[in-house]
Amino acid sequence: MTPDNNDPLKMVHELAARVQHLEDTIEIQQLQSKYVHYLFKQRFDRIVDECFAKKVPDVSVEFSDSGVYRGLDSVRAVYRSFEVTKTMPGFFILHMTVNPVIEIAKDGLSARSHWLSPGAAGSDTSAAWIWGPFYIDYVKEDGRWRIAHSNLVPLFRNRYETSWAQATEHGTVRGVLSAQPDEPSTFYKPYNEVKKQRDIFAAHPPLPQPY
Amino acid sequence: MTPDNNDPLKMVHELAARVQHLEDTIEIQQLQSKYVHYLFKQRFDRIVDECFAKKVPDVSVEFSDSGVYRGLDSVRAVYRSFEVTKTMPGFFILHMTVNPVIEIAKDGLSARSHWLSPGAAGSDTSAAWIWGPFYIDYVKEDGRWRIAHSNLVPLFRNRYETSWAQATEHGTVRGVLSAQPDEPSTFYKPYNEVKKQRDIFAAHPPLPQPY
Amino acid sequence: MTPDNNDPLKMVHELAARVQHLEDTIEIQQLQSKYVHYLFKQRFDRIVDECFAKKVPDVSVEFSDSGVYRGLDSVRAVYRSFEVTKTMPGFFILHMTVNPVIEIAKDGLSARSHWLSPGAAGSDTSAAWIWGPFYIDYVKEDGRWRIAHSNLVPLFRNRYETSWAQATEHGTVRGVLSAQPDEPSTFYKPYNEVKKQRDIFAAHPPLPQPY
């Protein structure tokens, strides 16, 4: 036992920093869960208010072939354009996010993460599987964690009737959304193209490292 | 740094409360995992003893179209009636629960949660997908977290051969269980009915809020 | 409040032990996530270096009908033999791990866990579902958690075209791997055999208990 272990004030400050790190990890996990629940339940109005950063100028969201929605106005616009899905009979998007690798910055104010996502979507006339990785950065704003950048890059988006290997097209999110993206997709490609390649994850980012 | 930051006794008490909250969150997650493992492995005898509250008069469980089993005797009865599934060749129920949003009461004695559940079920002659939300309340009894109310409300329960959109019926749990429920289903409806509606989650509860 | 609650030094030591236990739980979860991300992204070179124990003589890995790879050389060999999958167009293995029940030893140096795994695999010509339990032991080596023994025992591994109940064969991992196992499979059996049995999990280990 080192001498420091007898200085309660110093120990309690060190312990407080470790507890803060644990709380940050759990809060980020709960924030991410909140996001997927709101998306599933079509509470689109809550998503930007409660889940996204307000003070990050290049805040962004991207999913499948959506392109990048950049800046708070664009992020608000894309979730507002999802409202139309409430009028579609039986419509749902069920993205779950599991197996987080979360790396919180040494200053405790930002974090980088990778998740894996099993998922399904549907309506009265269509059913599809949507599975793949999710890359998300977070920031702490006014003491609360928020999403700064979110990118869902599904590996496959095949209709139920045909497997990911057999499907000749893997769908698009462009048809349903009236909001226009600010930038093209960063590296998403449909599996019917990807499957012709080798080492298919070469373009994906490496796991977040300490920073 | 406020003056309090120099009072080690006060700081350690505050820190203890934060650690307790983290421990509660992790224990609830592990309890929920235990429940799904026992259900999968058909260790029905363990479920009530190790997972459910014993001192909550209106303790309850409900899943799909089961209706509500209310009170400890009814909860015991329904899991006892699951024992018959051990005699069915190849039988399994694999409900996983992910993306918890857990809200622990300020007094630390109860909690409300929403989860999302990917799942599958089968036997030697049938295969089905069972995916949807899980709404669960917990209480702390004699220092351990237990389930007070559990409601699995699958969005779809289609047989493998036909997608959730195409399936004209989404199955029933009523056939296999001899135990009778105490109350009708609260708001579950099969997707073949749900899919005709708009804003299909309007009847579902909102995410748990601080209380 | 007991008298101990006024001894800050004693309290802070007790609290430090509780924080350590929480950190261990979260670190084990992140280690496991790292493993599945590296496997998915085909970063096989990272798996042994960053995820497996180096000082456990009987360190082992087993998955489906692979047999047991025992000892660090064998574990390295099997992941090295996975490298060939990078040359296969569209190849991927997406095993997620959820619902952990993690039991950390009283001495804080080892842990036992059960997980559930939804999963998919594919290539340009094939698609399969791989779902089932994952049994994993961990050890703490030089202050970091590592995998000591890992066994993925899928319940079903059916090709997409035919359900787990209808599939007459559930595939093999033996064809693609040049590395030879040291021991036969412990208790994995394909679902087309399992489904003829009753109480199909009788051979599986019970949930980890305090030790």
Side-chain angles (χ1 to χ4, degrees), chain A residues 88-90 123-124, chain B residues 190-198 200:
Chain A
M88 300 176 178
S123 72
D124 61 340
Chain B
Y191 188 67
N192 49 301
E193 291 179 26
V194 168
K195 74 172 188 178
K196 297 170 190 165
Q197 303 170 7
R198 291 165 169 76
I200 63 178

Side-chain angles (χ1 to χ4, degrees), chain B residues 3-24:
Chain B
D4 286 351
N5 280 354
N6 291 313
D7 177 351
L9 188 61
K10 182 165 181 183
M11 283 187 72
V12 81
H13 278 287
E14 284 169 2
L15 213 46
R18 292 165 63 187
V19 169
Q20 185 62 55
H21 192 272
L22 288 164
E23 288 175 338
D24 286 341

Side-chain angles (χ1 to χ4, degrees), chain B residues 10-211:
Chain B
K10 182 165 181 183
M11 283 187 72
V12 81
H13 278 287
E14 284 169 2
L15 213 46
R18 292 165 63 187
V19 169
Q20 185 62 55
H21 192 272
L22 288 164
E23 288 175 338
D24 286 341
T25 301
I26 298 289
E27 187 185 326
I28 288 169
Q29 291 179 359
Q30 293 235 127
L31 167 67
Q32 185 56 32
S33 290
K34 214 163 145 177
Y35 173 78
V36 295
H37 282 270
Y38 280 148
L39 190 72
F40 179 49
K41 302 289 187 62
Q42 302 178 286
R43 296 285 80 89
F44 306 113
D45 54 323
R46 302 293 182 84
I47 287 178
V48 183
D49 283 350
E50 298 185 27
C51 302
F52 274 86
K54 308 299 180 302
K55 301 174 181 177
V56 173
D58 69 341
V59 59
S60 66
V61 64
E62 180 181 0
F63 38 93
S64 302
D65 67 333
S66 71
V68 183
Y69 292 87
R70 178 88 62 194
L72 191 56
D73 288 348
S74 284
V75 172
R76 280 200 193 283
V78 71
Y79 287 107
R80 206 177 302 122
S81 75
F82 268 111
E83 291 284 346
V84 70
T85 65
K86 283 191 201 162
T87 67
M88 300 175 178
F91 184 90
F92 73 91
I93 309 170
L94 179 44
H95 294 312
M96 303 172 190
T97 56
V98 305
N99 284 122
V101 173
I102 299 172
E103 190 69 46
I104 299 170
K106 286 194 180 64
D107 68 9
L109 298 177
S110 68
R112 296 170 186 159
S113 71
H114 285 197
W115 303 73
L116 296 171
S117 178
S123 73
D124 61 340
T125 56
S126 72
W129 293 115
I130 305 173
W131 288 46
F134 228 130
Y135 304 110
I136 311 175
D137 297 333
Y138 305 92
V139 292
K140 206 170 194 175
E141 267 188 9
D142 304 323
R144 300 299 304 272
W145 286 96
R146 302 291 183 208
I147 298 169
H149 307 290
S150 175
N151 190 5
L152 171 59
V153 190
L155 180 61
F156 54 80
R157 302 178 80 256
N158 59 295
R159 286 181 67 109
Y160 193 96
E161 290 73 18
T162 314
S163 83
W164 41 90
Q166 299 298 326
T168 52
E169 57 97 26
H170 279 251
T172 177
V173 301
R174 300 289 339 134
V176 75
L177 298 173
S178 60
Q180 293 305 307
D182 301 282
E183 301 160 18
S185 292
T186 49
F187 61 92
Y188 171 77
K189 279 186 194 162
Y191 188 67
N192 49 301
E193 291 179 26
V194 168
K195 74 172 188 178
K196 297 170 190 165
Q197 303 170 7
R198 291 165 169 76
D199 195 5
I200 63 178
F201 300 102
H204 286 243
L207 278 180
Q209 298 300 314
Y211 73 105

Side-chain angles (χ1 to χ4, degrees), chain B residues 8-9 12-13, chain C residues 1-15:
Chain B
L9 188 61
V12 81
H13 278 287
Chain C
M1 190 179 285
T2 67
D4 286 352
N5 280 354
N6 291 313
D7 177 350
L9 188 61
K10 182 165 180 181
M11 282 186 74
V12 82
H13 278 287
E14 284 169 2
L15 213 47

